[in-house]
Amino acid sequence: MKLPFNRFGARTATAVAALLCLAQGAWALEPFKVQDIRVEGLQRVEAGTVFASMPLRVGDDYNDDKGAAAIRSLFALGLFKDVRLEANGNVLVVVVEERPTIAGVDFVGTKEFDKEALQKAMRDVGLAEGRPFDKALADRAEQELKRQYINRSLYGAEVVTTVTPIERNRVNLTFSVTEGEAAKINDIRIVGNQAFSESTLKKQFDQDTGGWLSWYTKSDRYARSKLNADLETLRSYYLQRGYLDFRIESTQVAISPDKQKISLVVNIHEGEKFVVSGVQLEGNYLEREDEFKALVKIRPGQPYNADLVTETTKAFSDHFSKFGFAFARVEAVPEIDREHNRVAFVLRAEPSRRAYVRRIQVSGNDRTRDEVIRREFRQFESSWYDGDKIKLSRDRVDRLGFFTEVGVDTQEVPGAPDQVDLVVSVKEKPTGAVTLGAGFSSAEKVSLTFGIKQENAFGSGNYLGLDVNTSKYNRTLVVSTTDPYFTQDGISRTFDVYYRTSRPYSGDIYVGNDLVKSEDLYKIVSKGASIRFGVPFSEIDTVYFGAGIEQTKIDQGVYMPIQYLPYANKTSSAIPLTIGWGRDSRDSALAPNSGRYQRFNAEWSAAGDMKYVKANYQFQQYIPVTKAITFAANAELGWGKGLGGNPYPIFKNFYAGGLGSVRGFEQGSLGPRANQFVGADGVTPRPYENGSYSYLGGSGKAVMNFELIAPFPGAGNDKTLRWFTFVDVGTIYADSDQISNSSAIKSDGLRASAGIGLSWISPLGPLRLAWANPIRKQPGDKLQKLQFQIGTSF
């Protein structure tokens, strides 16, 4: 909050008034030679400050002009409210009365504004502890504070300034505020509309008369800046639909006598609807007229649309930039035929001069090193300006996931018409996270997970993760590190070392009337290490190669499903070789609105006790439906198979269900379920009782998600706060050699759910919340209609 006061004006007025009162006394002194100067009335100000400010010195001849100048210079210090000059023989006596010093500034009753922000604003204008008190400045602060409340629709706010003298010529300054209730918009009227209904036009406004979310969005609070934005939206609405002569005649804002209700009236002139009659190109198009014609969005015979005109000129400018013409001038000149309500456009282009980039500057990266950003740039210094490379560079920096905002501005170099500087501005986000996850259902207790990672360790761009998972079903310790630029060519290197103890997802298990706790059940223990390299084959394609070694053991425990019996109480080893491919053309890694993401991973183990092949493919597509709404589709396919006559290892199975999969179902609960366990003798199968079972997963997986994503109302510039509606479909398939009809419930049919959700990169970390209603389910499915995941960032 800024309080723009003019301290100089207030002090000048005070000084002039004092001079008018005191000048006569000063000029009444007879001229004399100053043999000494004595200062009286000082309490806090040092005498040296007075002597240094006066134009008179010992030995000078005193006269009226020098006396007036001395008074002016002392008043200009702002430390005194009264100054007099007297003569005692040849001694000049300066009599001063100091202004009181501010001991403290406090605010009482301020709820709309943060008290610390108000105190900082006061310090910026001179009302702070230890500063001389200026009554005129305090009055101006009071009036400015009232104006700030008016901007928040608190028209009835009252501000009373109290100055309390205390010892040692000090004062306490208190602003007592009675805020009252915010004035609400009671009525919005649009006058002069004929082509569109008033209700249609009012839907274009962000301000309204209130709704069920007004407590959060404050959309029913009037603000002049919001009204101006709404008027621009209204103007764009008409200009997009052919109304070339549309204008806003006037706006009236009326407030009720009790200052609680506001009425808005907007008077408009629609004019006639115009149709485009033709488009013509003029100027220098680098002998590429056909390429530019293909970029024209304006179509003859269609209604005039200002947005399409703007898109065309921008497309022309961007196309010129591909050839180094950073300052190309493109103008769409309308030729209006009002008699027939037609408009033709002449697109005039002048590429001007070709430019090259002198320097690339990076700003806003307080933590991230410059080189982390610069190595993503494909536009180089001392090279010709290339608009495509600059856009690609911006997208690559954005896809790092380290920043909430990334912008690139072009600046001319003074005195060098063929040179430009690029200024890359970023806004960093927390890249370390301690993640907590939870799920709720009416039948199950709360389930929790935990993890910690740092995606931009020490600002180097390297990933460093320590994954400690303490959930009910999984205990994990994973140390992982990735250097995305292991070589200067951009080859990445990743090391993983892990130790995992997991219990397959299970329902409540009863033996007779006794409930068996999950920690007493069987568990799968796996440990291993791997190394992986990522080789970029293009700007958006990376191929991964790797190898690892792992050991897996199943501790039989109690009530182990018979499907795990072949692996019980022995260690199985594997040496998997991996290959993968990733392609990422999304416009953002945090909140994508357009682009595509694909990922393929394959794992082959031809040595060791386990011989198998496993593959997984993920596809994401983001399509902008409108400027605010995005359609997103995600598909995941998984497949595994044993090799050389060996069964596919059951602990390599895929799981589905929960956040990131098919929402509305318990995490990992889809697919086959074991209904028999190993008895007390360690061999004999026995049935689970009371409908209990264990989730087995499967060697095949298919999941599809569809979402409509929109900014959350009132989110402002926070592009990561979004809500969405979704439909999820998925299933898990089992390999026939893993289950039999007598020992498992196959349960491999499709499941589906639909619901709404919220996602946000919050100050505490990434948050996802989903409420889902299963629309296709099977008996025995475990449901969780409400699921969320939240992280704490550092």
Side-chain angles (χ1 to χ4, degrees):
M1 176 181 177
K2 297 183 179 180
L3 304 175
F5 308 133
N6 189 335
R7 288 182 287 170
F8 180 79
R11 291 176 179 173
T12 302
T14 304
V16 171
L19 286 174
L20 292 176
C21 297
L22 301 175
Q24 183 175 359
W27 295 338
L29 298 178
E30 295 292 335
F32 65 96
K33 181 177 287 293
V34 180
Q35 294 183 353
D36 193 12
I37 300 176
R38 187 170 71 248
V39 183
E40 296 180 355
L42 293 178
Q43 297 184 43
R44 293 179 174 276
V45 181
E46 297 290 338
T49 302
V50 177
F51 293 140
S53 302
M54 290 180 56
L56 283 166
R57 299 288 184 271
V58 174
D60 291 347
D61 293 327
Y62 174 85
N63 55 44
D64 293 340
D65 290 340
K66 291 183 178 180
I71 291 176
R72 284 195 300 269
S73 63
L74 292 177
F75 269 116
L77 292 175
L79 303 174
F80 309 110
K81 67 178 182 179
D82 191 13
V83 179
R84 300 195 313 273
L85 299 182
E86 298 176 355
N88 186 359
N90 289 334
V91 176
L92 179 64
V93 181
V94 182
V95 182
V96 298
E97 183 180 354
E98 291 184 1
R99 291 182 184 275
T101 302
I102 298 175
V105 180
D106 193 18
F107 296 87
V108 178
T110 53
K111 299 178 182 178
E112 190 71 17
F113 298 104
D114 181 69
K115 184 180 291 188
E116 292 184 1
L118 290 173
Q119 289 174 335
K120 181 181 183 302
M122 292 298 174
R123 285 196 298 270
D124 293 341
V125 300
L127 291 176
E129 182 179 352
R131 301 292 295 272
F133 171 68
D134 189 330
K135 180 63 167 61
L137 196 59
D139 291 341
R140 287 173 179 264
E142 178 182 316
Q143 295 303 315
E144 179 62 25
L145 189 55
K146 289 180 180 178
R147 282 193 289 270
Q148 293 293 336
Y149 274 104
I150 289 174
N151 289 340
R152 298 287 183 95
S153 294
L154 293 162
Y155 291 90
E158 296 180 358
V159 182
V160 177
T161 306
T162 304
V163 181
T164 306
I166 59 176
E167 74 280 357
R168 299 172 59 196
N169 195 29
R170 296 181 300 160
V171 297
N172 283 325
L173 185 60
T174 304
F175 294 91
S176 299
V177 181
T178 304
E179 293 184 340
E181 296 294 328
K184 306 292 181 65
I185 299 175
N186 185 59
D187 184 37
I188 299 176
R189 293 184 57 204
I190 299 176
V191 179
N193 57 300
Q194 296 179 357
F196 306 101
S197 67
E198 187 177 30
S199 61
T200 299
L201 298 178
K202 288 196 293 187
K203 288 179 181 178
Q204 312 307 314
F205 286 20
D206 285 336
Q207 295 185 120
D208 53 38
T209 55
W212 67 279
L213 271 178
S214 296
W215 61 271
Y216 173 76
T217 64
K218 295 181 172 58
S219 60
D220 57 350
R221 289 197 185 186
Y222 168 76
R224 185 66 196 179
S225 58
K226 289 184 179 180
L227 178 59
N228 291 336
D230 286 340
L231 295 179
E232 285 303 315
T233 302
L234 182 63
R235 181 178 288 107
S236 296
Y237 184 82
Y238 271 94
L239 293 179
Q240 290 170 4
R241 288 158 177 79
Y243 293 88
L244 182 64
D245 290 332
F246 172 82
R247 64 180 181 270
I248 296 173
E249 301 281 3
S250 63
T251 57
Q252 290 89 40
V253 181
I255 187 169
S256 63
D258 62 358
K259 298 183 179 180
Q260 295 299 300
K261 297 179 180 179
I262 294 176
S263 297
L264 303 179
V265 179
V266 181
N267 296 282
I268 64 174
H269 170 75
E270 290 183 334
E272 298 295 332
K273 186 174 183 178
F274 283 78
V275 175
V276 177
S277 59
V279 181
Q280 184 178 355
L281 273 61
E282 288 185 2
N284 181 5
Y285 286 93
L286 310 177
E287 298 182 353
R288 299 173 180 269
E289 284 79 2
D290 291 340
E291 295 179 19
F292 283 93
K293 286 179 180 178
L295 300 175
V296 175
K297 307 290 185 181
I298 314 165
R299 297 288 182 264
Q302 297 295 321
Y304 163 77
N305 188 328
D307 284 358
L308 294 182
V309 176
T310 302
E311 289 178 18
T312 299
T313 56
K314 184 180 184 303
F316 277 26
S317 298
D318 291 344
H319 201 59
F320 275 118
S321 71
K322 295 179 182 180
F323 308 105
F325 297 95
F327 306 107
R329 292 189 296 271
V330 181
E331 184 181 11
V333 180
E335 296 180 350
I336 303 174
D337 179 3
R338 300 191 184 280
E339 182 178 353
H340 299 95
N341 295 334
R342 294 184 178 181
V343 57
F345 283 94
V346 178
L347 299 173
R348 294 175 181 167
E350 175 52 53
S352 187
R353 59 193 180 278
R354 196 176 186 190
Y356 66 89
V357 176
R358 182 189 69 164
R359 184 179 299 123
I360 299 175
Q361 302 174 2
V362 181
S363 64
N365 55 320
D366 298 329
R367 185 170 181 274
T368 305
R369 302 173 190 172
D370 273 16
E371 64 173 330
V372 174
I373 299 173
R374 291 181 180 276
R375 66 193 184 190
E376 300 300 328
F377 257 67
R378 296 303 178 259
Q379 169 69 64
F380 302 116
E381 295 178 338
S382 301
S383 298
W384 289 114
Y385 180 97
D386 189 320
D388 279 355
K389 290 182 178 179
I390 293 173
K391 182 181 183 302
L392 174 62
S393 302
R394 193 217 72 85
D395 290 346
R396 287 180 62 91
V397 174
D398 199 356
R399 285 198 293 268
L400 288 174
F402 304 158
F403 313 106
T404 57
E405 296 179 12
V406 179
V408 180
D409 294 325
T410 302
Q411 296 181 352
E412 297 187 47
V413 177
D418 62 341
Q419 298 180 30
V420 297
D421 287 340
L422 297 182
V423 179
V424 185
S425 56
V426 298
K427 185 176 180 181
E428 293 183 314
K429 78 174 185 72
T431 54
V434 178
T435 305
L436 298 175
F440 294 95
S441 72
S442 58
E444 302 295 326
K445 298 180 180 180
V446 178
S447 59
L448 298 173
T449 58
F450 169 81
I452 183 171
K453 65 180 180 178
Q454 175 56 264
E455 295 178 351
N456 186 16
F458 312 109
S460 65
N462 293 354
Y463 172 85
L464 180 62
L466 174 63
D467 186 5
V468 182
N469 192 323
T470 60
S471 75
K472 180 179 179 181
Y473 301 112
N474 294 281
R475 303 294 171 89
T476 302
L477 175 61
V478 179
V479 179
S480 179
T481 179
T482 299
D483 183 354
Y485 277 81
F486 174 63
T487 69
Q488 293 183 349
D489 296 330
I491 296 177
S492 65
R493 182 192 62 191
T494 299
F495 285 116
D496 291 301
V497 180
Y498 59 87
Y499 181 90
R500 298 186 178 98
T501 300
S502 63
R503 305 177 190 276
Y505 296 99
S506 63
D508 293 334
I509 298 177
Y510 288 87
V511 178
N513 294 323
D514 297 329
L515 172 65
V516 178
K517 295 181 180 180
S518 61
E519 55 264 28
D520 295 329
L521 300 175
Y522 64 96
K523 61 181 179 181
I524 303 173
V525 180
S526 60
K527 53 187 176 181
S530 66
I531 185 172
R532 184 172 67 254
F533 295 93
V535 182
F537 276 70
S538 72
E539 297 296 344
I540 60 175
D541 291 283
T542 303
V543 176
Y544 300 93
F545 305 93
I549 183 171
E550 66 179 15
Q551 292 181 337
T552 304
K553 180 181 179 181
I554 298 181
D555 290 340
Q556 186 165 332
V558 296
Y559 308 113
M560 181 185 72
I562 64 171
Q563 286 78 11
Y564 288 86
L565 188 57
Y567 304 94
N569 298 322
K570 69 176 184 179
T571 300
S572 301
S573 61
I575 303 177
L577 304 178
T578 60
I579 185 171
W581 165 72
R583 168 176 288 182
D584 191 353
S585 61
R586 297 172 297 175
D587 61 341
S588 171
L590 292 178
N593 292 303
S594 63
R596 180 180 297 171
Y597 173 77
Q598 296 180 81
R599 179 175 59 89
F600 172 79
N601 292 303
E603 183 177 320
W604 174 46
S605 176
D609 302 321
M610 298 180 290
K611 297 179 174 60
Y612 65 91
V613 62
K614 179 180 180 180
N616 188 72
Y617 173 71
Q618 182 180 15
F619 174 90
Q620 292 180 354
Q621 181 72 54
Y622 296 88
I623 302 173
V625 180
T626 67
K627 290 183 178 180
I629 299 176
T630 301
F631 172 75
N634 175 73
E636 288 189 65
L637 299 175
W639 173 81
K641 184 68 176 176
L643 299 177
N646 296 297
Y648 181 69
I650 196 167
F651 37 77
K652 288 290 182 178
N653 277 356
F654 297 97
Y655 291 86
L659 284 174
S661 182
V662 183
R663 287 158 283 197
F665 295 87
E666 190 175 273
Q667 193 76 28
S669 65
L670 302 190
R673 302 190 293 265
N675 59 5
Q676 292 185 8
F677 65 92
V678 178
D681 60 359
V683 178
T684 306
R686 291 188 56 187
Y688 288 117
E689 300 180 23
N690 300 325
S692 300
Y693 43 76
S694 288
Y695 303 126
L696 296 175
S699 58
K701 173 184 177 180
V703 173
M704 296 191 71
N705 313 98
F706 304 95
E707 293 183 355
L708 276 178
I709 308 170
F712 194 81
N717 294 326
D718 191 346
K719 298 178 181 179
T720 68
L721 178 56
R722 309 197 292 181
W723 72 277
F724 53 87
T725 61
F726 63 86
V727 174
D728 296 339
V729 179
T731 190
I732 291 291
Y733 296 97
D735 196 329
S736 59
D737 59 8
Q738 289 187 349
I739 65 172
S740 66
N741 293 332
S742 60
S743 62
I745 304 171
K746 193 170 184 181
S747 187
D748 57 1
L750 282 174
R751 311 303 204 283
S753 65
I756 60 175
L758 179 73
S759 64
W760 183 28
I761 307 299
S762 72
L764 296 177
L767 178 148
R768 287 186 68 85
L769 173 70
W771 182 90
N773 182 41
I775 56 179
R776 183 182 174 90
K777 57 186 178 180
Q778 292 190 9
D781 285 345
K782 294 291 184 178
L783 308 182
Q784 282 186 336
K785 291 191 175 183
L786 179 63
Q787 297 168 316
F788 77 87
Q789 182 176 352
I790 187 170
T792 300
S793 297
F794 56 93

